[in-house]
Amino acid sequence: MPAASTRVPQQQRSRATQARLLEATVDCLIEHGWSGTTTTVVAARAGVSRGAQLHHYPTKAALVTAAVDHLAERRAVELRTEADALPAGPRRLDRVVDLLAAAFTGPLFVAALELWVAARTDAELRDALVPLEARVGREMHRLTVELLGVDERRPGVREAVQATLDLLRGLGVANLLSDDTARRTALLGTWKRQLVTLLTPDGERH
Amino acid sequence: MPAASTRVPQQQRSRATQARLLEATVDCLIEHGWSGTTTTVVAARAGVSRGAQLHHYPTKAALVTAAVDHLAERRAVELRTEADALPAGPRRLDRVVDLLAAAFTGPLFVAALELWVAARTDAELRDALVPLEARVGREMHRLTVELLGVDERRPGVREAVQATLDLLRGLGVANLLSDDTARRTALLGTWKRQLVTLLTPDGERH
């Protein structure tokens, strides 16, 4: 079947081209921000022809949305792998919060924030991003529940997980222009102790 | 003293021109975002000549930084006035958190976030904003302590106030692209109950 044998390398090449474009997009967003990210700059950075770039991602909105989606999936896999390596026991919650805090101060957060803010005043980007934001938000919530190993059916657990993610988003913004590590570490130290109380049945205050 | 009598109206005119430029800048940032905000557009919107605009604020960085500073001061005055009108008693904390949550989803937050994100990749803006961010952050913290009527020397109070502001910043970002009011209201309901425990001496868990 000669058709199949040429089709498979073709698909692999397409996937490799797409991956190079998406990585270059994220790098570009982090380095130059939304306004400095153009499809031409991204194609050059990825070493991909303009034609191939337009074939895979016809608009800037399509390209940047796919890039953040791609990075979010990769970060979720990395977070699971890192969390799998954590020892069980009472310190596990602390380490999971540290992993999440690193995610909210890392490249995915910075690239996503560039898009969220740009989308506020760009209708095409906004239409593409709103469903992605909702999906990534749900997946991040589910992943956090899984990594913490908690049962969301218990009262207060869902709210505690939500508050943790909203707090981490706020801390991510506070870290944008200056290194906020010392303050964040101290604050999360307090938050971890509260979280133990909120998440463990014996600590319930209601 | 004829010199004084002409100087005073001149100063008043200058202040009125500055105020019009700063209000137009904030409106422009909210409507068009960082990249759609130019000094030319702002001058036209404020009904101020290019020459007068350049006289008061020679660069875009100077203009937008002054605008956010101006708005932050005005919002602080408004927050104090609104808080002064709140009744004392057990519901006061809830109402103060509601006022702060409104601030973190309002025009000042949106305009400031446009600048924080743009400053990440714009060295001139960043140099102007970093000291402003630090000062506005400190003042917001002090104002929150004052509105809540709590004593920061008590253990845990400083951290609880910080966590509240970081949480509200995260909730502000979550509200950028879609109306997150229902989720935020539910989450803050839980947070207010926690905050009472953290801020009142009897509720201390340490």
Side-chain angles (χ1 to χ4, degrees):
Chain A
M1 294 186 291
S5 70
T6 54
R7 205 183 310 128
V8 172
Q10 169 66 35
Q11 283 175 350
Q12 282 172 350
R13 275 200 305 277
S14 276
R15 270 200 293 270
T17 302
Q18 286 174 353
R20 280 216 306 283
L21 282 166
L22 300 181
E23 309 274 335
T25 304
V26 170
D27 291 347
C28 210
L29 281 170
I30 291 166
E31 205 170 305
H32 305 296
W34 166 256
S35 56
T37 299
T38 65
T39 52
T40 319
V41 166
V42 168
R45 186 167 193 142
V48 168
S49 75
R50 271 296 271 165
Q53 182 246 294
L54 287 168
H55 168 71
H56 290 293
Y57 305 103
T59 64
K60 180 176 174 184
L63 180 65
V64 296
T65 310
V68 164
D69 198 2
H70 170 78
L71 186 56
E73 276 182 33
R74 212 183 58 192
R75 279 305 291 146
V77 170
E78 287 170 4
L79 271 170
R80 273 204 183 83
T81 309
E82 288 162 0
D84 281 348
L86 293 180
R91 310 300 293 171
R92 187 180 159 88
L93 179 143
D94 291 9
R95 301 287 300 279
V96 167
V97 172
D98 291 339
L99 288 179
L100 293 170
F104 275 92
T105 50
L108 170 59
F109 181 77
V110 169
L113 191 63
E114 286 284 343
L115 300 196
W116 291 180
V117 170
R120 207 182 55 78
T121 50
D122 181 320
E124 188 196 359
L125 181 60
R126 188 190 180 107
D127 288 347
L129 265 190
V130 167
L132 175 63
E133 183 189 35
R135 183 159 54 78
V136 169
R138 278 196 305 274
E139 279 167 14
M140 195 68 190
H141 185 96
R142 203 178 303 134
L143 180 61
T144 305
V145 169
E146 179 192 322
L147 299 189
L148 289 170
V150 289
D151 182 355
E152 260 204 313
R153 289 165 304 182
R154 289 196 35 251
V157 167
R158 184 176 168 76
E159 290 79 4
V161 169
Q162 278 192 351
T164 301
L165 293 173
D166 284 301
L167 176 66
L168 289 171
R169 193 181 312 109
L171 290 169
V173 174
N175 199 62
L176 268 192
L177 296 189
S178 36
D179 181 359
D180 194 37
T181 308
R183 192 187 72 92
R184 182 174 62 251
T185 305
L187 196 146
L188 286 178
T190 309
W191 181 255
K192 288 164 182 173
R193 290 197 296 276
Q194 259 178 277
L195 205 50
V196 170
T197 319
L198 293 168
L199 293 177
T200 51
D202 289 342
E204 280 192 343
R205 292 195 315 274
H206 306 296
Chain B
M1 296 187 290
S5 70
T6 54
R7 205 184 307 128
V8 171
Q10 168 67 34
Q11 281 177 352
Q12 282 173 350
R13 275 200 305 276
S14 275
R15 269 201 293 271
T17 303
Q18 286 174 355
R20 279 215 308 282
L21 282 166
L22 300 181
E23 309 275 334
T25 304
V26 170
D27 291 347
C28 211
L29 280 170
I30 290 166
E31 205 170 303
H32 306 296
W34 165 256
S35 56
T37 298
T38 64
T39 52
T40 319
V41 167
V42 168
R45 186 167 193 141
V48 168
S49 73
R50 269 298 271 167
Q53 182 247 294
L54 287 169
H55 168 71
H56 290 294
Y57 306 102
T59 65
K60 180 176 174 184
L63 180 66
V64 296
T65 310
V68 164
D69 198 2
H70 170 77
L71 186 57
E73 275 182 33
R74 213 183 59 192
R75 279 305 291 146
V77 171
E78 286 170 5
L79 271 170
R80 271 202 185 85
T81 309
E82 289 162 0
D84 281 348
L86 293 181
R91 309 300 294 172
R92 187 179 159 88
L93 179 141
D94 292 7
R95 302 287 300 278
V96 167
V97 171
D98 291 338
L99 287 180
L100 292 170
F104 275 92
T105 50
L108 170 60
F109 181 77
V110 168
L113 191 63
E114 286 283 344
L115 300 196
W116 291 180
V117 169
R120 207 183 54 77
T121 50
D122 181 319
E124 189 196 357
L125 181 61
R126 187 190 180 107
D127 288 346
L129 264 190
V130 167
L132 175 64
E133 183 189 34
R135 183 158 55 77
V136 169
R138 276 196 305 273
E139 280 166 13
M140 195 68 191
H141 184 96
R142 204 179 302 133
L143 181 62
T144 305
V145 169
E146 178 193 323
L147 300 188
L148 288 170
V150 289
D151 181 355
E152 260 204 313
R153 291 164 304 184
R154 288 196 36 251
V157 167
R158 183 177 168 73
E159 291 77 4
V161 170
Q162 279 192 352
T164 301
L165 293 172
D166 285 301
L167 176 66
L168 289 171
R169 194 182 309 110
L171 289 169
V173 174
N175 199 62
L176 269 192
L177 296 189
S178 35
D179 182 358
D180 193 38
T181 308
R183 192 187 72 92
R184 181 174 62 252
T185 305
L187 195 145
L188 286 178
T190 309
W191 180 252
K192 288 163 183 173
R193 290 198 296 277
Q194 259 178 279
L195 205 51
V196 170
T197 319
L198 293 168
L199 294 177
T200 50
D202 290 342
E204 280 194 343
R205 292 196 314 274
H206 306 297

